Amino acid sequence: QVQLVESGGGSVQAGGSLRLSCTASTSFFRYCWAWFRQVPGKERTLEREWVGNIYNSNGMTDYTDSVKGRFTVSLDNAENTLYLQMNSLKPEDSAMYYCAAEPKGDSMCYVTPGSYRYWGHGTQVTVST
């Protein structure tokens, strides 16, 4: 059973930075790793918003438009750890952030939450004005 554990959430003022981590209980080969976020009122897993992803075999990344240039997804394969560096945070970035993983044979990673089978339990990010 694969387990993903997030950490690094917290409260920060607008314009600040946070780095989230997600550590897996096992190493992955040819997996998509992704970050999603979920706001109150959207409680179902399928309502989680895709933030960005990385393909662990070649390091290719992709991001939703609202975070491009501000967020960076990276991966330490040796440590089985996914990161999300968040800079220039805005109040609208406030959400519960989840990491997810799914095996895939190519680097065209999924952007829909229903496509991922492994999930962490989430870490809260709150950005104040």
Side-chain angles (χ1 to χ4, degrees):
Q1 181 72 18
V2 176
Q3 292 185 329
L4 304 179
V5 179
E6 300 100 334
S7 62
S11 297
V12 65
Q13 288 191 324
S17 298
L18 283 173
R19 189 177 79 156
L20 307 184
S21 301
C22 170
T23 301
S25 59
T26 186
S27 58
F28 293 141
F29 177 67
R30 291 188 178 179
Y31 266 69
C32 286
W33 290 73
W35 288 99
F36 288 83
R37 60 189 180 186
Q38 190 166 26
V39 298
K42 295 187 177 182
E43 306 303 331
R44 298 185 304 148
T45 300
L46 293 179
E47 293 178 301
R48 293 174 182 174
E49 177 192 14
W50 171 70
V51 175
N53 55 240
I54 188 167
Y55 188 59
N56 76 326
S57 295
N58 62 12
M60 284 187 62
T61 58
D62 195 12
Y63 302 91
T64 192
D65 286 345
S66 64
V67 308
K68 283 181 181 177
R70 301 189 298 122
F71 290 13
T72 302
V73 178
S74 61
L75 188 62
D76 185 334
N77 281 314
E79 298 295 328
N80 300 328
T81 299
L82 174 75
Y83 298 100
L84 179 65
Q85 178 66 45
M86 303 185 293
N87 299 327
S88 302
L89 281 161
K90 304 175 181 180
E92 52 264 42
D93 294 319
S94 297
M96 184 72 80
Y97 282 72
Y98 296 88
C99 63
E102 177 65 23
K104 200 166 189 298
D106 60 63
S107 59
M108 298 298 290
C109 287
Y110 305 112
V111 300
T112 53
S115 299
Y116 287 83
R117 77 184 71 182
Y118 302 118
W119 289 89
H121 292 293
T123 185
Q124 180 67 40
V125 171
T126 302
V127 184
S128 59
T129 56

